[in-house]
Amino acid sequence: MLIVAVAWIYVVGLMALTEPTVVAGIVTFLFYCVLPLGILFYLAGSRKRKARRVAQEQAAHAARMAARIAANQAAEAAEAADTADAADAADAADAADAADVTKVADAAKVADVSNTADAANTAARRGTAPD
């Protein structure tokens, strides 16, 4: 199509050169060359413009979807972190309770052993068997 346009420009340029006045030559060139070729190229390029516009819309839609997916993943990650923090806090509380119970049990064992040792020492001093 470009070769046809170039040939048409050549023909109309020669027509414009044969006009009796410069103004008539310019008007001939404008109305026989510039205006029709402008309309022709506009109509011929409409498919490309439409395809470009559709591609831009699809790219924008894909970007919006990617942003929405990223936001959802971030929200899920934050929720999981909150849940994990709550679970970690509960586990830490359970561990602290277990440690307290263990400390109390160990203290009771130490006290029992101490009491048994004290009872044995007292009995040995008295010369009797421990209770």
Side-chain angles (χ1 to χ4, degrees):
M1 181 162 128
L2 187 60
I3 191 131
V4 173
V6 170
W8 183 250
I9 292 169
Y10 178 74
V11 169
V12 173
L14 290 179
M15 285 174 45
L17 287 175
T18 60
E19 290 293 331
T21 63
V22 175
V23 175
I26 292 173
V27 169
T28 300
F29 191 77
L30 287 176
F31 285 111
Y32 283 110
C33 183
V34 175
L35 185 64
L37 286 180
I39 292 170
L40 180 68
F41 282 130
Y42 177 77
L43 294 175
S46 63
R47 279 191 206 144
K48 290 180 183 176
R49 284 191 306 276
K50 184 178 180 181
R52 189 180 311 126
R53 184 175 60 244
V54 168
Q56 286 175 344
E57 289 172 359
Q58 287 176 347
H61 178 70
R64 284 193 307 270
M65 292 304 293
R68 189 176 297 157
I69 289 170
N72 287 342
Q73 289 176 346
E76 288 174 1
E79 184 178 323
D82 290 343
T83 304
D85 289 343
D88 289 344
D91 290 344
D94 290 344
D97 290 342
D100 289 342
V101 169
T102 305
K103 285 180 185 177
V104 170
D106 289 344
K109 285 179 187 176
V110 169
D112 187 40
V113 169
S114 296
N115 289 341
T116 305
D118 289 342
N121 288 337
T122 304
R125 274 190 254 139
R126 291 187 187 159
T128 61
D131 294 333

